[in-house]
Amino acid sequence: MLAPLVLTLTLTAQAAAPAATTVPAPESSLSSDQMSHFLETAKVVGHHGINKGITNPIRLTLSDGTVTHDAAFTYVNEHRAVMQLDSGRTELNFVDSYKYSLAAYYLAKMLALDAMMPVTVPYQYDSTPGALSWWVDVKMDEGERLKKKIEAPDQNAWGEQIYRMRVFSALIADTDRNAGNILIGPDWKLWMIDFTRAFRTWKNLEKPEMLTRCDKRLLGRLRILTADGVAEHTNNLLAPAEINALLSRRDEIVKRFDELIAEKGVGKVLY
């Protein structure tokens, strides 16, 4: 039985609404490189606010003359010496930035987890820099699933996606991984969105007990992460202190799974 995911119910970037398109299922017909090119070059033909989220994202409609598709534009870039969070926790050197959503996508590509995230590119809209993400077709978010007590048809496959998300969230110290920014596609594909409050500089895992299983390929990729590699692949969006903290958490994650493997055996921990 999969342990329940600890969630804080705050609303976030993409609403659980179908994408607007003029061609059939562009998600399945376009590669990630083609999606990136579209996001970078297509013309904005419409826009409106998104009624979810605390970072005021904008839903843009883009068209290149052949494909018309929506995207979420996030531009938050807030820095505070001290921040009192809704949870009651006080955070020093608080950062809430679109740059972290970009860095998270680039890092996910390094770890072959980018299929769990919408394609995201740097973008400037109305002279404002931000991150633009492909709008994915989903049927609900995790909050709705929990509220309605809906179970995934394939519990094994769903559980493996949850485990990958937990490892990635722990690695990047994602402090806002909540029910509103975990989206579920029509085929029960899990999408992670909104990483603007990730990449904290603490070096320890907040909830190591949540890490109980891991994709063996993901664990292998974690073992070989280097500071230079992370800096290069994230386009130098992360400060040295953020990368050093990430690698310290990586060490804790690897140690955690190595200990679980020694205790329970490979088959009970890795898949």
Side-chain angles (χ1 to χ4, degrees):
M1 185 70 178
L2 183 65
L5 181 63
V6 177
L7 298 169
T8 303
L9 286 172
T10 60
L11 296 175
T12 180
Q14 290 194 23
T21 92
T22 56
V23 295
E27 292 91 339
S28 60
S29 61
L30 297 182
S31 68
S32 58
D33 286 344
Q34 289 172 320
M35 290 181 190
S36 294
H37 180 73
F38 175 85
L39 292 173
E40 291 166 350
T41 61
K43 181 180 178 181
V44 176
V45 296
H47 65 91
H48 56 82
I50 298 173
N51 294 326
K52 287 190 173 185
I54 57 176
T55 57
N56 299 315
I58 300 172
R59 182 170 177 168
L60 301 179
T61 300
L62 302 104
S63 179
D64 64 3
T66 301
V67 174
T68 299
H69 198 88
D70 284 5
F73 178 67
T74 304
Y75 56 92
V76 64
N77 195 25
E78 182 180 4
H79 299 251
R80 295 193 187 183
V82 180
M83 179 69 170
Q84 186 70 42
L85 302 173
D86 292 341
S87 63
R89 186 174 73 179
T90 299
E91 188 173 329
L92 303 180
N93 300 315
F94 172 83
V95 182
D96 190 2
S97 177
Y98 72 87
K99 295 178 183 179
Y100 290 154
S101 286
L102 291 167
Y105 180 68
Y106 298 150
L107 181 63
K109 290 183 76 170
M110 277 188 80
L111 299 172
L113 292 178
D114 50 308
M116 297 181 69
M117 296 168 59
V119 172
T120 302
V121 301
Y123 196 76
Q124 192 167 104
Y125 175 65
D126 198 20
S127 301
T128 302
L132 189 67
S133 299
W134 187 268
W135 193 277
V136 293
D137 184 13
V138 300
K139 62 180 179 178
M140 70 181 101
D141 62 26
E142 177 69 351
E144 183 179 352
R145 185 191 76 80
L146 292 171
K147 182 179 179 181
K148 295 182 177 179
K149 299 180 180 178
I150 301 171
E151 295 294 332
D154 185 337
Q155 286 288 295
N156 239 5
W158 178 251
E160 289 180 357
Q161 292 183 92
I162 292 289
Y163 293 132
R164 291 187 192 100
M165 178 184 68
R166 289 179 178 175
V167 171
F168 188 68
S169 297
L171 175 69
I172 66 173
D174 184 3
T175 62
D176 194 31
R177 185 66 16 211
N178 61 71
N181 56 31
I182 301 169
L183 307 183
I184 303 168
D187 56 355
W188 283 88
K189 175 180 172 63
L190 186 153
W191 293 96
M192 302 183 289
I193 62 169
D194 192 358
F195 296 87
T196 64
R197 295 187 179 185
F199 297 103
R200 276 21 194 175
T201 54
W202 51 71
K203 297 183 177 182
N204 297 323
L205 303 178
E206 285 202 296
K207 294 184 174 68
E209 69 277 5
M210 299 298 291
L211 304 180
T212 55
R213 301 201 67 197
C214 188
D215 181 330
K216 58 180 176 291
R217 292 158 297 187
L218 173 57
L219 186 60
R221 293 183 185 105
L222 287 173
R223 292 185 191 277
I224 60 174
L225 278 183
T226 64
D228 288 344
V230 172
E232 178 183 353
H233 283 84
T234 57
N235 291 338
N236 296 306
L237 287 168
L238 300 176
E242 292 166 338
I243 294 176
N244 290 338
L246 181 147
L247 291 176
S248 292
R249 292 190 298 269
R250 183 279 309 272
D251 292 343
E252 292 294 315
I253 291 169
V254 170
K255 178 183 176 184
R256 164 78 176 167
F257 284 118
D258 282 346
E259 289 175 348
L260 287 174
I261 290 168
E263 176 188 342
K264 300 181 178 182
V266 173
K268 296 280 184 156
V269 179
L270 303 183
Y271 58 91

